[in-house]
Amino acid sequence: MKHLAIAAVILWAAFYFGGMWFSSEDPATAAAFGRLIEAPQRSVENPYHNGYFYLFGLTAASSLDPAKTGYEIWVEETQDAGRAEDGERKASRADLVHSLPPETAGSSWEANDPITAFRKKDGPVHAASGQYRILVSRYEHWIGMPFDDWGFGRRVTPLGPDLLAVHRLYVAEGFLNNTAEGVERLRKDLHLWRTVLREAKTISTKVLAQIIITDDLQLLSRVLAKPTVDKALLTMGLQLTLPLSAQEYSLRWPVRHQLALAMKERSTVAGRDGDQERQRRYDDWLIRTGRLPSGALDGIVHPPARSTAGRFQWGQATSVYAVYYNAITTASENHVKRLPGMQEVAGTKSRGMLESLLQPRPVEPDWEMFYSQLIETDTRLRLASLQIQLRHPAAHTSVPTRLAGVGSQYFDPFTGLPMLWSPTQQKLYSVGRDRLDDGGDPTFDISVPAVVGQTYKPATTAPPLTRPRRR
């Protein structure tokens, strides 16, 4: 009897795992995954005219073409094509010889009155403007280029700290020259990086775009906090700070990129040690600068690719992941407050003890933290716009009433309710990622100083909306 039971279990397991193995060849499942990992159509065919590659080669030696240098580095590091056999020298990272220290414009950029700090004759911006002229000129050229992210399904390491420093110097130099030029450079910078955010095909590009956009918005908010602000900035600012669009919110291509990367790496060997170390340093910089949790990028690796039992889980889990990825993509494009969980979209399944031991439930990738970062970027855009709107007089209307009357497009995207106002601190604020009202505490809330262009009296109409407070 004992042997009969063992034989039955073995037979059941053979049929069970065999079914999982062959189900991976199911036409409907294969078609669903095939659509998910299909590469996006390229909008810029000539790599030398693509701002994506120009950024890779931004710090190349003065005699080299940044776009050509960036493309050749990208080709080598992604193994997208073999080296030419004609003996022609190809660029490498050794050709990226220019470097701009992160602190070059940092102290002026983060000052309470940044425009005055930019214009100090003995300040860092004056000195750096001439010293790093080639980098600023190249960045200005890049601003006018089309951008098409070719990183889909590949591991690539673009510039990080150098790019952030050059972007700051480019904008700061504009304000050093005059306010009109500074406003125009800020407009171009925000416009281009919002284009990058919209066109991003990888999560790294999307996070990088938000780092620069947030940096610009924090500068703008500090300028708008001053009692006197140039009218050109107020006029242009409303155009710069429109809320994020569905395309900018979308996680469609980053999600598919992670899946395509996992499928590719299931059948390839690990990259070179130097490339892996460079990628690790860049990922660490992205996580730290983008204020994401440690290990955030590991949390969105397609789970079967990181599982020792992935081969056996594949057949059963594939259809679940296909439904889940499509659901969170759709949700991200519809401005929901939170992404749906895997069980919400794929349902639950009654499982026996033996089945639970042999086939664990599919692991759910954690995309919520990246979606929350997009909501935070949108929040900063809305707060900056409200800083401008509140400067206009509106007689006999309290600030909370005005915040309720601006329209839902400027409400707090974390709650769907109007932004909050602290009269004692003279601050506008959002409840932030924890969705609790902490009175504008920057540790938890997202807050900006505001100058109200009127003397108001308290409203006597509807009672204020309440939110849960931290105990």
Side-chain angles (χ1 to χ4, degrees):
M1 188 67 182
K2 177 181 178 182
H3 295 292
L4 183 61
I6 293 173
V9 170
I10 293 173
L11 185 62
W12 177 87
F15 276 105
Y16 182 77
F17 285 114
M20 285 193 293
W21 177 264
F22 288 109
S23 68
S24 66
E25 301 299 324
D26 176 69
T29 299
F33 255 64
R35 288 191 294 272
L36 285 174
I37 64 176
E38 188 175 299
Q41 185 175 357
R42 289 174 175 172
S43 60
V44 182
E45 290 297 334
N46 188 335
Y48 298 160
H49 296 164
N50 188 351
Y52 175 74
F53 295 111
Y54 198 93
L55 278 186
F56 269 83
L58 187 72
T59 59
S62 304
S63 60
L64 299 177
D65 176 3
K68 184 174 184 294
T69 301
Y71 178 63
E72 290 177 356
I73 292 173
W74 181 86
V75 166
E76 170 66 10
E77 294 186 357
T78 61
Q79 298 177 344
D80 193 58
R83 284 295 196 183
E85 298 179 357
D86 57 6
E88 180 184 353
R89 179 189 178 278
K90 298 296 182 181
S92 70
R93 286 196 177 262
D95 294 306
L96 303 180
V97 299
H98 292 292
S99 182
L100 185 59
E103 65 275 7
T104 300
S107 59
S108 300
W109 187 274
E110 294 166 2
N112 287 331
D113 187 355
I115 294 180
T116 299
F118 294 154
R119 292 172 177 170
K120 288 183 178 178
K121 291 187 177 180
D122 58 347
V125 176
H126 257 286
S129 181
Q131 184 178 355
Y132 299 103
R133 167 54 38 201
I134 186 170
L135 293 178
V136 175
S137 296
R138 283 176 171 178
Y139 191 86
E140 188 164 23
H141 176 79
W142 172 76
I143 288 285
M145 296 180 73
F147 185 92
D148 186 17
D149 185 352
W150 282 23
F152 183 84
R154 297 172 172 84
R155 288 197 183 277
V156 290
T157 312
L159 298 176
D162 282 323
L163 181 57
L164 180 61
V166 175
H167 124 84
R168 285 183 168 185
L169 184 57
Y170 165 74
V171 174
E173 185 189 76
F175 282 106
L176 168 65
N177 295 336
N178 57 73
T179 301
E181 185 175 343
V183 170
E184 179 62 11
R185 288 194 184 190
L186 184 62
R187 182 194 70 79
K188 289 180 178 179
D189 201 52
L190 264 172
H191 175 77
L192 203 284
W193 281 107
R194 290 191 67 165
T195 299
V196 174
L197 180 66
R198 185 176 65 247
E199 300 298 327
K201 302 302 188 294
T202 71
I203 193 61
S204 293
T205 302
K206 210 161 186 79
V207 171
L208 175 63
Q210 290 179 88
I211 288 172
I212 306 294
I213 291 169
T214 297
D215 205 44
D216 277 336
L217 290 173
Q218 289 175 330
L219 173 73
L220 178 60
S221 286
R222 284 192 290 272
V223 173
L224 290 172
K226 308 317 294 179
T228 304
V229 177
D230 191 281
K231 288 184 178 179
L233 184 60
L234 296 177
T235 302
M236 189 71 71
L238 288 176
Q239 302 171 29
L240 295 178
T241 55
L242 294 174
L244 290 185
S245 66
Q247 281 184 295
E248 290 169 318
Y249 258 114
S250 179
L251 289 170
R252 178 177 302 274
W253 290 114
V255 166
R256 293 183 177 191
H257 160 74
Q258 289 296 129
L259 179 57
L261 198 61
M263 298 301 96
K264 181 179 179 181
E265 292 182 347
R266 289 176 77 224
S267 58
T268 57
V269 297
R272 293 167 295 191
D273 290 343
D275 292 344
Q276 289 182 321
E277 176 59 22
R278 187 184 305 111
Q279 183 73 50
R280 185 194 64 77
R281 290 198 305 269
Y282 179 68
D283 289 350
D284 287 347
W285 179 83
L286 271 185
I287 294 296
R288 185 175 62 256
T289 312
R291 297 176 62 251
L292 291 163
S294 176
L297 292 171
D298 292 334
I300 56 170
V301 172
H302 181 60
R306 66 186 179 192
S307 171
T308 56
R311 186 173 68 144
F312 296 105
Q313 293 180 29
W314 181 254
Q316 294 290 326
T318 296
S319 58
V320 175
Y321 283 115
V323 172
Y324 172 65
Y325 288 145
N326 280 322
I328 62 175
T329 293
T330 301
S332 71
E333 294 169 354
N334 282 281
H335 296 194
V336 297
K337 293 184 180 66
R338 284 188 174 90
L339 297 179
M342 183 176 284
Q343 287 193 354
E344 293 177 60
V345 298
T348 59
K349 177 184 175 184
S350 178
R351 297 147 58 87
M353 181 177 68
L354 185 58
E355 182 180 0
S356 298
L357 289 173
L358 291 172
Q359 186 202 11
R361 288 189 184 277
V363 179
E364 182 174 344
D366 187 2
W367 282 94
E368 184 62 40
M369 63 190 84
F370 292 98
Y371 185 64
S372 292
Q373 186 191 38
L374 284 162
I375 298 178
E376 186 169 316
T377 301
D378 193 17
T379 299
R380 292 188 182 281
L381 284 163
R382 298 180 189 207
L383 286 171
S385 181
L386 289 172
Q387 281 181 288
I388 296 172
Q389 294 180 52
L390 286 180
R391 297 184 76 98
H392 300 299
H396 308 299
T397 303
S398 71
V399 174
T401 302
R402 293 179 65 178
L403 293 176
V406 292
S408 60
Q409 70 271 28
Y410 292 107
F411 283 5
D412 187 342
F414 282 106
T415 62
L417 298 172
M419 294 289 186
L420 297 166
W421 168 249
S422 171
T424 56
Q425 301 176 77
Q426 293 288 289
K427 280 185 176 181
L428 289 169
Y429 67 98
S430 153
V431 295
R433 297 188 189 192
D434 66 1
R435 294 173 169 82
L436 296 173
D437 180 358
D438 294 292
D441 182 349
T443 306
F444 305 103
D445 298 337
I446 305 169
S447 62
V448 294
V451 175
V452 180
Q454 58 142 37
T455 300
Y456 63 88
K457 59 182 180 182
T460 57
T461 55
L465 295 164
T466 60
R467 296 169 173 77
R469 298 185 69 90
R470 183 176 300 278
R471 295 185 181 275

